[in-house]
Amino acid sequence: MHDRTALIEMRIDRFIRERLRPARHRLSHPLEVRAWEVPGEPVSFTDAVQADFTPTAVGAPWGRPWGTTWFRVTGEVPSEWRTASGGLPDGTRAELVVDLGFTAGQSGFQAEALVWDLDGNPIKGISPFNNAVAAAVQSDGRIDVLLEAASNPDVGSIFTFDPTALGDPETAGADPIYVLRVVDVALRDLTVESLLDDTVILRGLLGELDASSPRRAEIVQALDRMIDLVDPHDVAGTAAAGREALREVLASPAHASAHVLHAVGHAHIDSAWLWPVRETARKVSRTFSNVLSLMDENPDVVFASSSAQQFAWIKERYPEIWERLVERVREGRFVPVGGMWVESDTNMVGSEALARQFVEGKGFFLREFGIDTPEVWLPDSFGYSGALPQIIKASGSKWFLTQKISWNETNRMPHHTFLWEGLDGTRVFTHFPPVDKYNSDASQADLAHAQRNFQDKGRARVSLLPYGYGDGGGGPTREMAAQVARAGSLEGSPVARHSTPRAFFEQAESEYPSPEVWSGELYLEFHRGTYTSQLRTKQGNRRSEHLLREAELWAATASVRTGRAYPTEQLKRLWQLVLLQQFHDILPGTSIAWVHQDAERNYAAIAVELEQIIADSLRALVGEGTRSLVVNAAPHGHASVGALAIGEADAVAPVTPVAADGGFVLDNGLVRATIDARGVLTSIIDLASGREVVPEGQNAGVFQLHRDTPTQWDAWDIDEHYRRNVTDLLEADGIEIVDGAVVISRSFGASTLVHSIRLDEGSRTLKLAVDIDWHEQQKLLKLSVPVDVHTDHAASEIQFGHIVRPTHTNTSWDAARFETVAHRWVRVGESDFGVAVTNDSTYGHDITRHPREAGGTYSTVRLSLVRAALFPDPQQDQGRHHLEVGIVVGGELVDAIAEGYRTNLAERRIEGADDVKPLVSIDHPGVVVEAVKLAEDGSGDVIVRLYEALGRRADATVAVGFPSGDASEVDLLERESEQAALTGQDADGIRLALRPFQLVTLRLPRA
């Protein structure tokens, strides 16, 4: 037989494009349109419906960047469409069809609209590829609706990473950016639509089957016959015959060994990114309306949605959508997942804040739906902390899902379904969907990729398929759902079935009871610049986390000691705002300028409120008096004031710099530091051991400027090639002594840098304060601290502990980890000597090994301070910044931990009458109190969250400083849990036996 396959495939493609797709609507008729452009920010339906609408028409320009235009659309189904009985022809449906002027960019990144009826009920969203609204046509054929149209500019969905002014409303312009293209009532042909869906799945399957496959030849011939039977000039009249021609090939069942995909509707909605937070709430309304409308049409569709914040927006702002949503949640078809307030970053979020993501997220879903979400759903964050498994378990969840690690540039993860083991040994059942995306279109290409790609074949057979338009929202469409239905059992195709996350995880656990184990962090070999971009946002987060700690500690102490009312609702509101801004495109610094401007304003307002709570609580505690008191909110005592306490202490004074050889020497009897005439640290000596920190021939505290031109994602990426172009900033414009510190001024490019070096009496920490006026572009500024120790690893603080990473490059995995994240400190050391570097602002580090001139190796710790990417915010990091860095000389791990807290929890001074003893104290230096607060349930019980920080077993006693009943262990949501650490309690305190890095939450009832 002659092989005409290639020609037939070309025939099929053209027939789909020119005949079937256009024939989905038999007829269309234009509707009347009037418009009202909102002069400022979006308004409510109540305001819009009373506005003065003016006539407009298809072809008219509309919508300034980030503007809102309300369209009033009226008309009716033409009488000539109706049959003699007055109804529409069988197999048809009338619907509103709108094209707002959609561009070639992605759905969710451009113009969108929400359709409202005149009673103020949202009906459905309008977006590219999902722009038909059947429910807008009333039973009598009339149409009278409002469209709330958002003229959001496409900031960069084609990702050429060009600098753009569109990300800031001040520079985005005011001219219309869209042209209204279609506003019609159309007659949808359900038979043609079904034929199109049949044809699309078979054409997709052809692309995945082997050229020599009999099944492929069978499908080719069936499609060829179908085209012969469908009249191109009367598709509607002959579509049924076309469907019959395909019936047999569609009925052929899947192979018994076919991979099974649990298809879950999904709409990843970034809580901000290339749009502001205010627009995200509207995106959620449009997406949820789309999903609910699809569920009305298709009873099989299931939809999973994360982020309690997004549900909360709907409850607050769209009560009509909320009512429909709640009903579908009860049915089990609209499924809350994730259990977090937002899909947050997990690299930089602090310990307590990451716990609160679950407290607030799971708490919301429990209160509103009675659902204790078992799965943690983070498809798109930029790497996953090794602390996360323990936090997941402590929240009451048990499964984890992501797919972002498939973006690795260098190494491929060896598993798709596995046990993920965290730093404390906790294991969580984990799945990476092998489809390698969280917004599949459910095409045969995606299903086949998942089957081929699945790493656990032979031991497991199922995976999860999240399908639907995402990032900017949108969700699943009726076309996608139709593809899932047709792949339920189709020869040559993987099996797809509508399912829920729970059904998937339960089946996956059942069929794979002993999966492989991955230990440690899930490091993303990509997007390493997210540890550094948008310094002000990162500083706002760090400051807010520590202010919240202080506010809760002192408010709880004041409540217990004085009866002062605890500001529960205010703290919850502030926590939720901080948690929102930990979303994985806000805290990482990868959003448009508008997002980060909002974040900075929010952080400033948060600080004002928290400072007031702290001040009011402290005044209630210390009373009126003239004693100078030190307030220590840190978990370690300092300057004779205990941890979590208030007492008298002398002010810490800096040592006086002594001039020497054109520079200065700082010496406090513990540490001696030498600064040369350039303002460079040439020597740092631990006087007790005599050890020199600075390797021979090296300098410490050197600022280094790199070219920073990533290959792909500007604000997201730091690429290894940045190291090939570096300038050491060694020349000083001036050196002077100011308040006991050596202050050095430098200039480079268009920027200036002033940094001071100070050493306090009795301290092992050399303190560096850095002020930068930054005006570079596509540059990276690092601070280098070489340390004369021979080691192949470094310890870096993460949530509730620290992680030890290799600093060698033995394997491709090691080499790819060239930029890493740490919280308040990193440390390198030999068995008897080490040096830690602390910070108050930054997260990005690189730690490397180098040959010593005298033999052996030394290590270099470098902090990434500031960047200057051009996309998506061309003004990223421009302007003034202040940072604090400490070099802890000769300290052990416990010193690094304590100094990290001190760097971020500066002691306060207050005048008052009374010392304040701590509510709790611990007799073990390696057991750290992370939070002291009152219980979420309003009982007045005291909640104490603590952890073992050194990576060792620890027996510790918690002394309680107020009358209390028997303590109990609780989970993060403060529910009774297994008493895993509590071994006993008596008058001396609560006895704990902790494993390395164990996290414990105690509930202390007040007597």
Side-chain angles (χ1 to χ4, degrees), residues 542-695:
R542 180 81 70 88
R543 181 177 65 247
S544 297
E545 288 178 343
H546 289 83
L547 284 173
L548 280 161
R549 172 198 172 91
E550 289 190 84
E552 288 188 332
L553 169 66
W554 300 125
T557 306
S559 177
V560 172
R561 293 282 163 73
T562 73
R564 181 180 175 79
Y566 188 75
T568 303
E569 292 305 315
Q570 185 181 11
L571 287 168
K572 178 179 283 289
R573 174 175 53 81
L574 295 172
W575 262 118
Q576 288 178 355
L577 183 52
V578 171
L579 298 177
L580 166 60
Q581 297 187 159
Q582 291 172 340
F583 176 74
H584 65 251
D585 275 307
I586 303 179
L587 180 54
T590 51
S591 291
I592 57 173
W594 190 350
V595 173
H596 294 288
Q597 291 164 4
D598 281 351
E600 290 160 28
R601 282 192 291 269
N602 287 338
Y603 287 132
I606 288 165
V608 169
E609 286 197 60
L610 290 174
E611 289 287 2
Q612 190 64 55
I613 292 172
I614 293 166
D616 292 346
S617 299
L618 292 177
R619 179 53 56 205
L621 284 165
V622 302
E624 298 296 334
T626 58
R627 295 174 66 213
S628 178
L629 300 171
V630 170
V631 180
N632 181 21
H636 303 87
H638 188 53
S640 76
V641 178
L644 319 177
I646 303 173
E648 270 190 304
D650 294 333
V652 176
V655 300
T656 302
V658 177
D661 298 325
F664 297 92
V665 173
L666 303 174
D667 188 333
N668 66 358
L670 299 173
V671 174
R672 180 187 300 134
T674 302
I675 305 164
D676 71 7
R678 303 168 299 173
V680 172
L681 284 161
T682 57
S683 173
I684 306 171
I685 297 175
D686 174 54
L687 294 174
S689 65
R691 287 285 299 260
E692 171 64 68
V693 169
V694 182

Side-chain angles (χ1 to χ4, degrees), residues 674-743:
T674 302
I675 305 164
D676 71 7
R678 303 168 299 173
V680 172
L681 284 161
T682 57
S683 173
I684 306 171
I685 297 175
D686 174 54
L687 294 174
S689 65
R691 287 285 299 260
E692 171 64 68
V693 169
V694 182
E696 185 177 356
Q698 301 299 311
N699 299 305
V702 173
F703 295 89
Q704 297 178 316
L705 191 66
H706 294 266
R707 185 172 73 188
D708 184 18
T709 52
T711 303
Q712 297 183 72
W713 298 75
D714 288 24
W716 292 256
D717 287 352
I718 288 176
D719 290 345
E720 184 275 338
H721 54 70
Y722 85 88
R723 291 176 170 173
R724 304 175 201 167
N725 188 297
V726 58
T727 301
D728 288 354
L729 304 178
L730 297 175
E731 298 304 316
D733 297 336
I735 304 178
E736 58 182 331
I737 305 300
V738 179
D739 296 331
V742 180
V743 179

